[in-house]
């Protein structure tokens, strides 16, 4: 599934065969890690990374990674997958910081929603990690942005409960906000 975008950005699910493309997988992992290192500065212990090329290759092979490209240059990525028959989730959303403000993130979210709705999901979920005792500027921005897109917090969870392998890497106490958006109007 590919969507042409008004600013010459092409978005589509990476074919499973792309998992063997070491350069592409490395580029996706690097983009995600660069974006998250900035957006989550202070939340993680030094050296913690959001993902690895090996993890990205597994997700590509599973058909869960969509990429955004402008003139064959990788400018964004997102993971989108089903959690059950009615619920899908997007995560690892990353847009090239040099292309910020052009709508790449918004287009990746919209693509994820259409893909999930087309596969029968009725609700889209996302998770946002936020520090408990202080306001993180990037997290405050993202929360407001997701809310403008129609997402609402449905619960506050503990990272250790949902992602126990990541909890020991936190540098500060965090909550995991779980957002939902109905996909009834998305098709």
């Amino acid at each position: 599934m590919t969507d042409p975008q008004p600013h010459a950005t092409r978005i589509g699910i990476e074919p499973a065969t792309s998992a063997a493309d070491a350069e592409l997988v490395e580029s996706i992992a690097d983009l995600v890690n660069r974006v998250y290192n900035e957006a989550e500065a202070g939340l993680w212990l030094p050296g913690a990374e959001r993902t690895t090329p090996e993890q990205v290759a597994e997700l590509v092979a599973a058909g869960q990674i969509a990429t955004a490209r402008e003139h064959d240059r990788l400018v964004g990525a997102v993971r989108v997958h089903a959690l059950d028959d009615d619920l899908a989730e997007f995560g690892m959303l990353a847009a090239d910081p040099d292309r910020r403000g052009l709508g790449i993130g918004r287009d990746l979210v919209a693509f994820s929603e259409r893909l999930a709705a087309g596969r029968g999901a009725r609700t889209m979920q996302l998770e946002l990690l936020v520090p408990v005792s202080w306001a993180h500027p990037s997290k405050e921005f993202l929360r407001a942005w997701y809310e403008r897109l129609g997402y609402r917090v449905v619960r506050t969870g503990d990272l250790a409960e949902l992602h126990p392998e990541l909890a020991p890497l936190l540098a500060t106490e965090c909550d995991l906000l779980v957002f939902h958006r109905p996909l009834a109007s998305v098709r």
Side-chain angles (χ1 to χ4, degrees), residues 112-126:
S112 298
E113 292 172 344
R114 286 190 304 275
L115 180 67
R119 292 177 174 172
R122 296 181 350 174
T123 304
M124 182 62 87
Q125 174 174 296
L126 72 93

Side-chain angles (χ1 to χ4, degrees), residues 5 13-14 23 43 46 51 56 67 76-77 90 101-102 115 137 146 151 162 168:
Q5 301 301 317
I13 291 289
E14 280 299 320
E23 186 177 334
L43 301 186
T51 193
V56 169
T67 55
F90 78 82
L102 297 177
L115 180 67
Y146 289 134
Y151 286 84
L162 296 171

Side-chain angles (χ1 to χ4, degrees), residues 44 127 129 157-168 170 174-176:
W44 301 98
E127 298 171 346
L129 190 66
D158 179 19
L159 185 67
E161 170 193 334
L162 296 171
H163 304 284
E165 73 285 2
L166 297 177
L170 286 175
C174 291
D175 282 334
L176 192 63

Side-chain angles (χ1 to χ4, degrees), residues 9-74:
T9 302
R10 291 178 291 107
I11 298 175
I13 291 289
E14 280 299 320
T17 55
S18 293
D21 183 339
E23 186 177 334
L24 174 64
V25 166
E26 181 73 37
S27 294
I28 295 169
D30 179 61
L31 174 63
V32 170
N33 287 328
R34 280 188 298 126
V35 168
Y36 277 78
N37 284 343
E38 179 183 329
E40 294 187 337
L43 301 186
W44 301 98
L45 295 173
E49 294 285 350
R50 174 62 181 85
T51 193
T52 65
E54 295 77 19
Q55 290 168 337
V56 169
E58 289 174 15
L59 297 173
V60 168
Q64 296 182 6
I65 297 290
T67 55
R69 288 188 170 85
E70 289 179 355
H71 310 291
D72 295 326
R73 177 177 170 237
L74 179 70

Side-chain angles (χ1 to χ4, degrees), residues 65-114:
I65 297 290
T67 55
R69 288 188 170 85
E70 289 179 355
H71 310 291
D72 295 326
R73 177 177 170 237
L74 179 70
V75 295
V78 66
R79 177 185 185 199
V80 60
H81 62 111
L83 295 174
D84 63 34
D85 289 343
D86 293 328
L87 182 64
E89 178 180 65
F90 78 82
M92 287 181 31
L93 177 65
D96 186 334
D98 295 335
R99 311 291 295 149
R100 192 164 283 144
L102 297 177
I104 295 167
R106 181 193 65 237
D107 292 345
L108 284 163
V109 170
F111 175 86
S112 298
E113 292 172 344
R114 286 190 304 275

